[in-house]
Amino acid sequence: MQPISRALVTGGAGFIGSHLVEQLAASGCRVTVLDNLSTGHRHNIVGLGDRIEFVEGDIRDADLLDHVTKGCEVVFHQAAVVSVSQTVQDPAFSCEVNDLGTVRVLDASRRNGVRRVVMASSSAVYGDDPRLPKTEDMTPKPLSPYAVQKLAGEFYAAVFGGLYGLETVCLRYFNVFGPRQDPSSPYSGVISIFMAKAVSGQVPTIYGDGGQSRDFIYVKDVVRANLLAASEAAANGRVFNVGTGSFIRICDLWEMIGALSNVKISPVFGPPRAGDIRESVSDIGRIGGLLGFSPRVALRQGLIDTLAWYRSTG
Ligand code: NAD
Ligand code: UD1
């Protein structure tokens, strides 16, 4: 992998962003973090080294983006309204952040000579296409404002490549988990919520019948996919799935977390969430073939490590 001398990570105080910042700084890169701390935390990046500059601000602020993209070689765009349910409840606000914010990131990047923008897209763009696993050439069928917004970001990335020659790569993350995922909101990722419930002996809620499937990928594998996407020539202009190729159903996930944490608590069941996808599992042939990526951390091991982290912090 080519070393990166200077990078901007939007959303770098968040869960995935902070792991990316940590790895970039460890490789000798100077990193600017732009984050408005709406769901991220300063403490996620404190102590990760003196190569990191933190700028508190919003990706909708064009002047600020102009400032922070200057001199950057690569921009990793992670900032977003992340929760599918939250975008269902407030489509207009999430559109401002996820679409207008993304256009501002791309625009500042092309005006300031950034070589490449690597963008966090989502498996949510596939919706409920019954064909499994999901391959990048399927026609997207968004079921939520979130999915539409992520898909629009991908189209903008392609257009900025065509019109202005900006290199872009879009990574369709499947469900990411690991240390630092914040469980504090009902909108948080399911593994973080289930871990917090298991550690504190509380009853989790499963939305729907628990038969919905997800492909969970460990955060450090997602970081590796980002670094490959930033440096490999073959990645330019492409969209890649970032998953494991395996899935687990949500009710089995709770069983597994219960067993690993030695708790036996029956979940309660709530109504299914609007905009929820039923089946989700990735095909990772493209990213494997073009970038040589394959996940290294199995679900069980990732859950053990993540549980240890929640215990140590909680
Ligand atoms: P996160 O909430 O921990 O990180 C998002 C970060 O963006 C936070 O630090 C937040 O404060 C910041 N942010 C939000 N709005 C902002 C704004 N207007 N200006 C500046 N900063 C802002 O979530 P995450 O799980 O780390 O998600 C990172 C990216 O990955 C997002 O783009 C998300 O859509 C995408 N993604 C996540 C998953 C997953 O399973 N976690 C899966 C697919 C895609
Ligand atoms: C998640 C990400 C989204 C990403 C997508 C990619 C978060 C908050 N959302 O969405 O950014 O683009 O993956 O696939 O990280 N559930 C319960 N009980 C709970 C919480 C959730 O049963 O307490 C269920 C949900 O209804 C859903 C599944 O668990 O069926 C996963 O939910 P969630 O972690 O919110 O993720 P996604 O909606 O898949």
Side-chain angles (χ1 to χ4, degrees):
M1 254 183 258
Q2 300 284 336
I4 300 166
S5 60
R6 198 157 156 209
L8 168 69
V9 182
T10 71
F15 161 50
I16 300 169
S18 65
H19 285 274
L20 194 50
V21 169
E22 184 173 15
Q23 188 57 44
L24 285 164
S27 72
C29 177
R30 279 171 59 208
V31 190
T32 303
V33 171
L34 175 65
D35 200 302
N36 70 355
L37 301 179
S38 54
T39 54
H41 303 280
R42 286 246 17 191
H43 61 69
N44 281 342
I45 50 170
V46 165
L48 298 185
D50 53 12
R51 291 193 187 85
I52 300 164
E53 184 198 1
F54 175 70
V55 177
E56 185 170 347
D58 202 290
I59 55 166
R60 290 167 293 169
D61 182 337
D63 292 338
L64 186 57
L65 271 168
D66 194 48
H67 171 68
V68 293
T69 48
K70 281 201 172 75
C72 281
E73 188 187 334
V74 179
V75 172
F76 296 91
H77 178 38
Q78 306 296 311
V81 174
V82 170
S83 160
V84 174
S85 312
Q86 212 173 343
T87 72
V88 171
Q89 292 186 6
D90 198 342
F93 171 71
S94 56
C95 176
E96 270 186 31
V97 175
N98 293 353
D99 283 340
L100 179 60
T102 295
V103 173
R104 293 222 190 279
V105 169
L106 288 166
D107 203 27
S109 298
R110 64 112 183 164
R111 280 188 282 102
N112 286 308
V114 168
R115 176 175 61 79
R116 187 172 287 189
V117 180
V118 180
M119 309 222 309
S121 184
S122 169
S123 63
V125 300
Y126 293 114
D128 270 341
D129 191 318
R131 290 169 299 166
L132 296 170
K134 316 271 188 178
T135 55
E136 292 90 341
D137 55 9
M138 285 177 174
T139 305
K141 295 183 177 153
L143 293 178
S144 60
Y146 175 83
V148 173
Q149 292 153 12
K150 286 293 179 182
L151 189 58
E154 292 186 3
F155 281 123
Y156 275 116
V159 164
F160 270 71
L163 287 179
Y164 312 114
L166 178 67
E167 294 188 11
T168 61
V169 186
C170 296
L171 299 179
R172 291 179 179 168
Y173 305 160
F174 280 64
N175 287 58
V176 189
F177 74 104
R180 299 197 199 119
Q181 193 168 24
D182 184 352
S184 64
S185 135
Y187 297 124
S188 302
V190 65
I191 288 186
S192 69
I193 294 176
F194 282 5
M195 291 267 166
K197 299 281 185 197
V199 165
S200 59
Q202 290 176 304
V203 179
T205 301
I206 290 180
Y207 301 113
D209 64 2
Q212 64 271 44
S213 63
R214 290 293 185 274
D215 178 342
F216 288 101
I217 179 159
Y218 194 61
V219 65
K220 297 225 185 286
D221 282 324
V222 174
V223 168
R224 220 156 30 77
N226 269 277
L227 298 180
L228 286 166
S231 61
E232 294 295 318
N236 182 25
R238 308 218 56 151
V239 169
F240 295 98
N241 285 343
V242 180
T244 67
S246 303
F247 69 87
I248 185 168
R249 301 204 179 277
I250 295 301
C251 50
D252 297 332
L253 174 71
W254 171 249
E255 288 271 313
M256 197 169 178
I257 291 175
L260 291 173
S261 38
N262 282 322
V263 297
K264 203 156 178 50
I265 299 172
S266 298
V268 297
F269 288 85
R273 277 180 169 175
D276 223 17
I277 287 173
R278 181 69 185 176
E279 308 282 1
S280 184
V281 60
S282 63
D283 178 296
I284 49 173
R286 181 183 285 181
I287 193 166
L290 283 178
L291 307 188
F293 172 84
S294 63
R296 291 182 183 159
V297 182
L299 176 62
R300 191 184 151 79
Q301 188 56 52
L303 289 176
I304 291 170
D305 294 352
T306 306
L307 190 59
W309 183 83
Y310 281 106
R311 283 201 168 117
S312 73
T313 56

